[in-house]
Amino acid sequence: MATRVAPSMTGYLHLGHLYHLLWVYAYAERMGVPVCLRIEDHDRSRARPAYEKALFADLAAFGMAWRGDVLRQQDDVTFYDQQVAMLQDAGLVYGCACSRRELADLQLAGAPELFYPGRCSEKKLPLEGHTVRFRVGPDRMRFKDERLGWQEHVPAQQCGDFAIRDRTGQYTYQFCCVCDDIQQEIRHVVRGEDVLPSTGRQLQLFHAFDAPAPTYLHHPLLCDEAGNKWSKRQHAVSLRSRLEKGVSPEQLLAEAVGLHQPISLATALECVTGQLNQSAS
Ligand code: GLU
């Protein structure tokens, strides 16, 4: 009955991540469930050991603990391989040979995300050495977000058959996320609104695996003074660099919830619990 934090190891954590962590820990406290930790390092070209080291130091600085073993995506892909084999047996995946260039040419101007129209879906290409795509169903996926209320996603219109593994064998976020939520027995997902559009397609994967889907709460994103989303590429403002420059964790906790005077973790959690309580359900 756990929830989880699953930071991507593609940069140092910043204030937006701290705000996210507060939502997860406030939710866990309210529900009386533990927090599991997942190191999201499926993107081998971008993950760096330094980011992981910094993550552990940051969590320690804020006094945020987790339950159980840390799941590191690169450590063991056996479960991912098994799940792909299961989808293959069910005829739900296929190999795709389209290049990035070809994919770009298939896009409609102004589309919010990459859409795959199923060009290779009947070619019967081997999975090995090709991008592996999941055949999305035509269904409208309805779910009740615990903050935003009822949502409806239609993956067949949003993204089409999405990639779950690239031609080099590297698994994708969508696939790892669902497999890991199953492996870690995650019953509650608390994450930023930026990933809300992924939920419908992830629900289709849960159904394909015949696994129970977790509940979802998508929280607002923290913006900087100019109203821009915090970006991981803003290295200068990483939590790590500020902590190393002597800024206290209490000061950063205050900033994450829009206050000026340093506050404890308990107070920061109370602030976010207030926002959580104003949620839709
Ligand atoms: N690594 C993803 C992120 O940081 C996790 C998204 C999720 O929780 O599913 O946004």
Side-chain angles (χ1 to χ4, degrees):
M1 277 302 185
T3 184
R4 42 63 162 187
V5 288
S8 304
M9 291 298 101
T10 53
Y12 293 102
L13 301 195
H14 51 63
L15 214 55
H17 289 108
L18 182 54
Y19 182 62
H20 163 69
L21 291 168
L22 289 172
W23 270 87
V24 175
Y25 279 86
Y27 183 94
E29 202 170 273
R30 192 173 76 165
M31 301 293 285
V33 296
V35 177
C36 293
L37 178 59
R38 173 183 313 162
I39 303 288
E40 232 188 67
D41 61 355
H42 61 88
D43 186 343
R44 285 184 239 131
S45 61
R46 293 172 70 206
R48 304 258 180 287
Y51 301 145
E52 188 178 318
K53 197 166 158 239
L55 165 73
F56 285 113
D58 292 345
L59 290 174
F62 295 109
M64 291 169 171
W66 62 91
R67 167 92 60 91
D69 295 336
V70 177
L71 189 154
R72 189 176 286 98
Q73 293 173 330
Q74 282 188 27
D75 278 356
D76 185 5
V77 293
T78 317
F79 187 67
Y80 303 150
D81 292 344
Q82 283 168 359
Q83 296 302 94
V84 171
M86 184 199 277
L87 295 177
Q88 190 172 18
D89 288 346
L92 287 172
V93 285
Y94 60 86
C96 164
C98 294
S99 66
R100 266 175 206 267
R101 180 66 202 269
E102 286 167 326
L103 284 181
D105 290 345
L106 292 171
Q107 302 308 303
L108 295 176
E113 63 172 304
L114 207 66
F115 180 82
Y116 187 71
R119 209 159 159 242
C120 292
S121 65
E122 305 307 329
K123 290 188 184 164
K124 300 195 168 31
L125 297 171
L127 301 189
E128 240 21 79
H130 289 110
T131 300
V132 178
R133 293 190 177 276
F134 175 69
R135 284 182 204 278
V136 299
D139 328 13
R140 309 182 88 76
M141 307 307 294
R142 271 172 65 75
F143 64 97
K144 192 170 185 187
D145 183 276
E146 291 185 69
R147 174 174 154 263
L148 301 168
W150 282 103
Q151 305 290 311
E152 190 173 273
H153 292 168
V154 189
Q157 290 167 12
Q158 287 173 284
C159 54
D161 297 343
F162 58 89
I164 62 172
R165 195 171 72 194
D166 71 15
R167 70 189 64 209
T168 69
Q170 186 164 284
Y171 286 101
T172 65
Y173 158 68
Q174 303 293 350
F175 185 76
C176 292
C177 179
V178 172
C179 291
D180 297 344
D181 283 339
I182 294 171
Q183 289 195 86
Q184 291 188 296
E185 299 183 354
I186 301 302
R187 304 301 305 133
H188 307 281
V189 170
V190 179
R191 60 188 180 189
E193 274 180 12
D194 53 337
V195 278
L196 177 63
S198 293
T199 308
R201 69 201 71 164
Q202 293 185 3
L203 287 171
Q204 287 207 356
L205 277 177
F206 278 107
H207 293 178
F209 294 140
D210 200 17
T215 63
Y216 289 94
L217 186 153
H218 292 87
H219 61 71
L221 300 180
L222 192 70
C223 292
D224 63 16
E225 305 84 51
N228 302 313
K229 207 179 104 178
W230 281 83
S231 152
K232 279 177 208 166
R233 293 186 183 89
Q234 294 169 298
H235 284 287
V237 291
S238 70
L239 299 175
R240 195 78 319 255
S241 70
R242 295 193 63 201
L243 287 164
E244 281 168 3
K245 282 187 193 126
V247 179
S248 71
E250 290 77 14
Q251 176 61 33
L252 293 171
L253 286 165
E255 289 178 23
V257 295
L259 298 174
H260 297 292
Q261 298 303 321
I263 55 172
S264 66
L265 176 62
T267 307
L269 289 174
E270 265 172 45
C271 294
V272 174
T273 302
Q275 297 175 35
L276 192 55
N277 289 338
Q278 288 165 16
S279 301
S281 60

